[in-house]
């Protein structure tokens, strides 16, 4: 959010979040319909297999790796920065930058070395979450519920605490004048901002990967998918409104924009609470994404598209532990080695492609499987899916032009 506000959309980053939520909302409707028809683990991979065939399913299966595994690695890098900040603010401990930053950087044209050794906190949190997930879905669900409850409480405290510090002049101009290049403020910047914050919505579709572990999946999956997105969008919009209202948008191009904004209030206790909430929030996201990734491997292995050992289930914990450990380890290595900008763009592209395929699947099944019971149907059906294609194309163009004309990181 901070970079999108400071370099692209300005105070109108709130509108960017709304646009990103609309795109994700249209896709969520399609996911909900597919989940009600095909309540099987695998998410977009399973839907592609049922509608487009084996080759398309193989492609989308590997594409989901970009969304889930790389997405978790991206969030782990963010977790690392919050962890370092919390130790510094709470206890005065200063961790070595060489062990809290990635050794590889991206200078907008090629990879380069930074002189750092390894992002150890990012690696550690991914491995801890991987081990927890391997020990069973019930315990994982309880931990995730506790993390989500805590972060929602923290967000509510933070929003209401920041409201008295909002300054009306920080919203002016709401859409800053374009600076002469595409995506650098103006309307094009607002769209660029939407392509940037779109990454924040990644994960709602991961609900559909747990279909075989859900009770009444034809009913609960569509509800879970839609509620996840609605709650997330509401939180993002509220946070963006108060953030750009308290801090001038040009000052938000920092690693932890929420913490920076809270620090302007001079309430040290609120800074610590915000950092703890951020740690809980990012841990929860990593956990959800690393739950989803092994189940895609599991589905692909059961269909014979990858080696069968990826489908091995632990005899005691009933989890796909082999694929969990492999994907978790790869995620941890990516988080420890690669810069957050590269990871987030890769994950965003993977997500957009998955959304595109699921919408195609809805249209195909409306013609080829008209009689199959659907506990949920997309309002507008084929017409709404076509609108999604147009929006997806705009976002892809925005991501590509951002990478070429307006580097963010």
């Amino acid at each position: 959010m901070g970079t999108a506000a400071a370099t692209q959309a300005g105070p109108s980053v709130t509108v960017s979040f709304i646009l990103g939520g609309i795109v994700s909302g249209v896709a969520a409707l399609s996911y909900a319909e597919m989940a009600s028809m095909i309540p099987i683990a695998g998410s977009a991979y399973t839907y592609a297999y049922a509608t487009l065939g084996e080759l398309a399913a193989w492609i989308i299966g590997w594409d989901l790796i970009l969304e889930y595994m790389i997405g978790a690695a991206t969030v782990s890098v963010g977790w690392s920065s919050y962890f370092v900040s919390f130790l510094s603010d709470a206890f005065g401990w200063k961790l070595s930058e060489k062990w809290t930053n990635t050794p590889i950087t991206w200078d907008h044209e090629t990879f380069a070395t930074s002189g750092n050794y390894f992002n150890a906190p990012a690696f550690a949190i991914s491995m801890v979450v991987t081990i927890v997930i391997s020990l069973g879905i019930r315990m994982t669900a309880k931990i995730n519920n506790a993390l989500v409850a805590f972060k929602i409480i923290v967000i509510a405290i933070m929003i209401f605490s920041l409201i008295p510090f909002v300054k009306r002049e920080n919203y002016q101009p709401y859409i800053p004048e374009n600076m002469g290049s595409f995506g650098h403020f103006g309307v094009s910047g607002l769209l660029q901002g939407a392509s940037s914050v779109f990454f924040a919505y990644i994960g709602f579709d991961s609900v559909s990967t747990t279909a075989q572990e859900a009770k009444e999946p034809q009913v609960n999956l569509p509800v879970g998918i839609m509620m996840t997105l609605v709650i997330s969008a509401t939180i993002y919009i509220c946070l963006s409104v108060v953030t750009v209202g308290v801090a001038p948008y040009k000052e938000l191009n920092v690693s932890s924009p929420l913490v920076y904004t809270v620090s302007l209030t001079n309430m040290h206790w609120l800074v610590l609470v915000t950092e703890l909430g951020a740690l809980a929030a990012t841990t929860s996201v990593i956990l959800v994404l690393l739950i989803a990734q092994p189940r895609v491997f599991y589905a692909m292995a059961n269909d014979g598209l990858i080696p069968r050992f990826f489908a091995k289930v632990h005899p005691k914990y009933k989890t796909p532990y082999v694929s969990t450990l492999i994907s978790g380890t790869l995620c941890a290595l990516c988080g420890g080695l690669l810069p957050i900008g590269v990871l987030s763009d890769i994950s965003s592209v993977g997500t957009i492609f998955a959304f595109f395929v699921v919408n195609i699947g809805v249209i195909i099944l409306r013609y080829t499987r008209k009689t199959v019971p659907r506990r949920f149907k997309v309002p507008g059906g084929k017409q709404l899916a076509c609108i999604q294609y147009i929006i997806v194309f705009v976002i892809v163009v925005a991501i590509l032009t951002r990478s070429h004309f307006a580097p963010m990181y």
Side-chain angles (χ1 to χ4, degrees):
M1 176 175 66
T3 304
T7 65
Q8 297 170 339
S12 64
V13 69
T14 301
V15 180
S16 296
F17 271 109
I18 294 174
L19 292 177
I22 291 173
V23 175
S24 298
V26 175
L29 292 172
S30 296
Y31 269 94
E33 177 169 331
M34 295 294 274
S36 70
M37 292 179 60
I38 313 172
I40 302 174
S43 186
Y45 160 76
T46 300
Y47 308 150
Y49 200 103
T51 57
L52 301 176
E54 194 171 86
L55 177 60
W58 185 85
I59 294 173
I60 197 65
W62 286 105
D63 171 76
L64 289 177
I65 294 174
L66 301 181
E67 178 181 357
Y68 297 139
M69 189 174 71
I70 302 300
T74 306
V75 179
S76 73
V77 177
W79 187 95
S80 176
S81 67
Y82 284 119
F83 180 70
V84 172
S85 296
F86 177 74
L87 291 183
S88 176
D89 294 334
F91 307 107
W93 298 348
K94 302 291 185 181
L95 299 183
S96 171
E97 291 187 1
K98 290 187 177 295
W99 288 102
T100 56
N101 290 286
T102 58
I104 300 173
T105 61
W106 176 253
D107 64 1
H108 314 313
E109 292 182 359
T110 183
F111 287 103
T113 56
S114 64
N116 299 314
Y117 300 140
F118 196 65
N119 194 332
F123 178 86
I125 186 60
S126 294
M127 291 307 302
V128 169
V129 169
T130 298
I131 293 171
V132 170
I133 293 171
S134 302
L135 298 179
I137 192 67
R138 290 186 179 179
M139 183 178 72
T140 303
K142 290 179 181 178
I143 293 174
N144 190 52
N145 289 341
L147 291 171
V148 170
F150 178 73
K151 74 179 181 182
I152 289 177
I153 292 172
V154 169
I155 289 171
I157 293 173
M158 185 174 64
I159 290 175
F160 285 109
S161 298
L162 288 177
I163 288 176
F165 296 90
V166 170
K167 299 177 182 178
R168 184 175 297 179
E169 57 267 26
N170 287 337
Y171 294 115
Q172 303 297 330
Y174 191 68
I175 302 179
E177 186 178 352
N178 185 269
M179 303 298 288
S181 61
F182 183 88
H184 197 188
F185 301 120
V187 176
S188 64
L190 190 152
L191 295 176
Q192 284 280 22
S195 73
S196 298
V197 302
F198 175 76
F199 175 80
Y201 291 100
I202 292 176
F204 75 84
D205 53 314
S206 62
V207 175
S208 60
T209 66
T210 60
Q212 290 175 235
E213 295 159 291
K215 296 179 181 179
E216 297 187 54
Q218 290 93 338
V219 176
N220 291 332
L221 285 183
V223 173
I225 290 170
M226 296 307 301
M227 288 304 298
T228 297
L229 183 61
V230 170
I231 293 172
S232 298
T234 302
I235 290 174
Y236 291 144
I237 292 168
C238 291
L239 279 177
S240 63
V241 168
V242 295
T243 299
V244 297
V246 173
Y249 69 89
K250 293 182 180 179
E251 298 178 8
L252 291 174
N253 192 13
V254 294
S255 59
S256 304
L258 290 180
V259 174
Y260 172 76
T261 301
V262 171
S263 68
L264 296 178
T265 66
N266 294 319
M267 292 188 289
H268 185 65
W269 67 270
L270 186 58
V271 171
L272 297 181
V273 169
T274 301
E275 289 171 341
L276 284 174
L279 288 172
T282 49
T283 301
S284 174
V285 173
I286 295 170
L287 188 148
V288 169
L289 294 177
L290 286 183
I291 285 176
Q293 176 54 51
R295 283 149 182 80
V296 175
F297 275 146
Y298 173 82
M300 293 177 71
N302 277 334
D303 292 331
L305 298 185
I306 59 176
R308 292 284 300 178
F309 68 82
F310 280 99
K312 284 187 178 181
V313 175
H314 195 281
K316 179 179 179 180
Y317 301 115
K318 307 302 180 183
T319 57
Y321 70 103
V322 173
S323 55
T324 297
L325 293 174
I326 291 175
S327 58
T329 302
L330 291 174
C331 168
L333 289 173
C334 289
L337 295 172
L338 298 177
I340 190 170
V342 173
L343 292 171
S344 64
D345 279 350
I346 291 174
S347 186
S348 293
V349 170
T351 302
I352 290 170
F353 185 51
F355 287 2
F356 189 79
V357 169
V358 172
N359 278 278
I360 290 177
V362 168
I363 294 177
I364 291 176
L365 289 180
R366 287 290 180 93
Y367 286 106
T368 61
R369 296 290 188 273
K370 296 180 180 180
T371 60
V372 175
R374 292 168 171 82
R375 300 291 292 272
F376 176 85
K377 292 185 70 173
V378 177
K382 300 183 287 291
Q383 293 77 16
L384 192 63
C386 291
I387 294 173
Q388 168 80 0
Y389 299 150
I390 298 172
I391 299 175
V392 163
F393 175 77
V394 171
I395 287 187
V396 170
V397 171
I399 289 177
L400 294 177
T401 52
R402 182 181 77 214
S403 300
H404 187 68
F405 294 111
M408 292 172 50
Y409 305 99

